[in-house]
Amino acid sequence: MFAAILESRQMNRQCPIAIDLSGADVHAEAARIREQAPAAQVLLPGGVRGWAVNRHADIRRLLVDPRVSKDAYRHWPAWISGEVGAEWPLSIWVSVQNMITAYGEEHTRLRKPVAAAFTSRRVAALRPRIEEVVDGLLDGLAALPPGRTVDLRAGFAHELPTRMVFELFGIPERSWAPLHKIIKGFFDTTITVEDAQRNAVDMDVTMADVVAYRRAHPGDDITSVLIAARDSGGEEEGVRLSEKELVDNLILLFTAGYETTVNLICTALHELLRHPEQLKAVREGLGSWEDVVEEALRIEPPASYGLLRFAVEDIDMGEGVVIPQGDPILVSFGSVGRDPQLHGAGAERFDVTRETRGQHLSFGFGTHYCLGATLARAECAIAVERFFERFPEAEPAVARGGELPRVASFISNGLRELPVVLGAENRGV
Ligand code: HEM
């Protein structure tokens, strides 16, 4: 038995697949791994080896398996020993100490105060504000000279989640420009080690400044709520947060809450622009705007991989593959939406009427399920519906079938730009 496990480990340690850090073709890569084995050895920057898990059923199982941790400080021997450290280009994804890198009771402790601040009442109350921001952005687009090509990522999709996150977290205006730059660098997995390290320092400094500002000027925002929870000294049971945990939780909320939603809005707009028959189906009531959002989440998950998880003990994945204790694990959200076992043949087709459109794991699953899913869904549905109401003749500027450049990342999955000719504005007359 032992010999068989050893043999399977050796077999699976051969020929690791080097993950393409530029994310040039995440779906082809994901399919290759999915077809190979329930878990395949992959190579990350700096020669770090891990296991990619790409099949829907396996990912769902692992995401609720207590033998899987996200805490590098407790469960990644290479991180604990310093063999992998701050100079590793992806170190920021494991060095931060917040809910997304926490395990077990620590996770519960770190998530609780944020979940308490992120109430459904607060999110529901944001709807009119989302509509207002969307309409303001569309007014700006309508004021541009007719016939001009517009980049909808920069001019629309990017602006909405950014403003919502800035407002929700009470970010002072002086921090907006630095944060734009830092978050772009955070998801760019092709930047140099030096730039990644500089970015991590800039992130810490900027977020510490945000906390200092909000501590001095508390408001009705989530940052102020979290500061109050921390400064109360943990009177409320389970709400103890160190200053680092407070800042790191804010870093998470900020980075998770914005680039991903930009990607989602871009995908939904892009798919409807290049598949006019799908837009027609929505207009004819065969699918809803919410269906568009789910299908966009399925076909292009805004986060391709969830970094990083660690095997707390040996995990037998079946088919002779064992993930050894202490090894890093990457779960591929990018792969789930196109898994033919779940979505059948033609999973790569955008179809708002698809029965399995909601069966993705693009917001994760289990204990780390995304806290911002309701907000992101609302932002996307409102943005896309109002855009097509206002610009019913909008056309892609690149011929249909032409490829658009994608974000240089194997984590963030989105279009780098979305050039569109808006056409005449619908003034409702
Ligand atoms: C389309 C937009 C979004 C997508 C696709 C997305 C995706 C995800 C995914 C996949 C996870 C789980 C990661 C893992 O298990 O490794 C996650 C967790 C999380 N997301 Fe989102 N997210 C989005 C928007 C947001 C927004 C708007 C916020 C808040 C402003 C947010 C806050 C969080 C937080 C706090 C977690 C960590 C939860 C935990 O560890 O307990 N996300 N998100």
Side-chain angles (χ1 to χ4, degrees):
M1 171 68 181
F2 184 62
I5 290 175
L6 260 186
E7 194 185 314
S8 93
R9 284 181 188 177
Q10 269 149 17
M11 183 182 79
N12 283 289
R13 279 194 177 277
Q14 288 163 6
C15 307
I17 297 170
I19 295 285
D20 176 2
L21 303 184
S22 75
D25 193 353
V26 282
H27 298 301
E29 185 180 82
R32 201 148 58 92
I33 295 172
R34 193 172 57 226
E35 281 152 21
Q36 185 176 314
Q41 276 262 298
V42 290
L43 209 52
L44 292 168
V48 169
R49 283 178 181 230
W51 296 83
V53 178
N54 280 32
R55 297 177 187 168
H56 171 257
D58 294 323
I59 294 178
R60 231 180 119 97
R61 199 155 27 86
L62 282 194
L63 289 180
V64 291
D65 189 330
R67 295 172 302 167
V68 178
S69 165
K70 293 199 81 179
D71 188 344
Y73 294 89
R74 282 166 70 190
H75 297 118
W76 191 14
W79 183 259
I80 297 164
S81 69
E83 191 188 327
V84 176
E87 68 297 340
W88 187 48
L90 298 177
S91 65
I92 182 106
W93 292 89
V94 294
S95 65
V96 284
Q97 286 177 293
N98 57 35
M99 72 186 99
I100 212 162
T101 55
Y103 173 71
E105 286 172 13
E106 279 292 280
H107 172 258
T108 311
R109 178 177 68 79
L110 292 169
R111 182 170 165 122
K112 195 174 163 186
V114 184
F118 224 89
T119 55
S120 45
R121 184 191 53 79
R122 189 187 279 273
V123 174
L126 284 173
R127 248 192 118 78
R129 181 63 188 141
I130 299 173
E131 290 168 354
E132 200 180 357
V133 173
V134 167
D135 289 346
L137 293 169
L138 294 176
D139 287 345
L141 294 179
L144 294 172
R148 207 171 116 178
T149 299
V150 176
D151 175 6
L152 283 187
R153 178 168 174 116
F156 182 53
H158 178 266
E159 291 301 301
L160 173 64
T162 322
R163 287 198 201 169
M164 295 315 297
V165 163
F166 285 150
E167 289 183 18
L168 197 59
F169 292 96
I171 306 295
E173 259 188 72
R174 66 178 185 217
S175 310
W176 293 9
L179 280 169
H180 280 306
K181 183 169 169 282
I182 292 165
I183 291 172
K184 194 159 175 267
F186 193 85
F187 283 100
D188 185 343
T189 46
T190 62
I191 61 173
T192 62
V193 176
E194 291 75 26
D195 283 346
Q197 282 175 343
R198 201 168 308 123
N199 212 39
V201 173
D202 289 348
M203 174 70 101
D204 278 343
V205 171
T206 308
M207 291 314 284
D209 179 57
V210 169
V211 170
Y213 178 86
R214 275 293 151 220
R215 196 166 257 136
H217 309 91
D220 181 28
D221 56 83
I222 294 185
T223 305
S224 299
V225 173
L226 290 177
I227 291 170
R230 156 154 171 74
D231 292 352
S232 72
E235 277 163 30
E236 239 181 276
E237 201 193 331
V239 179
R240 282 167 298 102
L241 283 180
S242 71
E243 191 71 9
K244 176 165 169 55
E245 288 165 346
L246 169 69
V247 171
D248 284 2
N249 251 348
L250 287 167
I251 290 176
L252 161 68
L253 284 155
F254 221 74
T255 46
Y258 132 24
E259 168 97 0
T260 45
T261 315
V262 179
N263 289 344
L264 176 61
I265 296 172
C266 270
T267 298
L269 289 168
H270 180 52
E271 293 299 339
L272 291 178
L273 284 164
R274 65 177 178 162
H275 300 297
E277 77 292 349
Q278 293 295 316
L279 181 56
K280 189 162 170 275
V282 177
R283 286 184 168 139
E284 289 172 352
L286 298 175
S288 66
W289 297 105
E290 285 71 27
D291 295 336
V292 170
V293 176
E294 292 315 304
E295 183 64 352
L297 281 162
R298 180 194 70 81
I299 201 161
E300 294 290 1
S304 315
Y305 279 104
L307 296 194
L308 262 181
R309 290 176 156 78
F310 310 96
V312 174
E313 51 188 77
D314 285 3
I315 302 174
D316 188 343
M317 298 294 295
E319 296 181 29
V321 181
V322 175
I323 301 180
Q325 178 184 11
D327 271 15
I329 303 170
L330 289 92
V331 295
S332 171
F333 301 120
S335 171
V336 173
R338 299 193 183 204
D339 189 336
Q341 291 288 339
L342 183 65
H343 305 287
E348 70 296 340
R349 231 179 330 103
F350 182 80
D351 177 0
V352 294
T353 64
R354 180 188 297 277
E355 281 189 9
T356 61
R357 65 185 169 273
Q359 293 182 39
H360 53 75
L361 299 178
S362 299
F363 287 118
F365 183 66
T367 45
H368 290 279
Y369 184 78
C370 178
L371 271 178
T374 310
L375 173 62
R377 283 182 162 121
E379 285 182 35
C380 185
I382 294 169
V384 176
E385 177 176 5
R386 292 199 173 207
F387 174 81
F388 284 107
E389 253 171 35
R390 193 85 175 258
F391 298 103
E393 297 172 8
E395 292 263 358
V398 174
R400 292 199 177 97
E403 288 302 315
L404 291 174
R406 302 196 70 82
V407 174
S409 175
F410 78 100
I411 302 168
S412 171
N413 178 35
L415 295 171
R416 200 173 340 137
E417 53 193 54
L418 179 53
V420 169
V421 182
L422 294 176
E425 185 195 356
N426 175 8
R427 293 169 188 270
V429 286

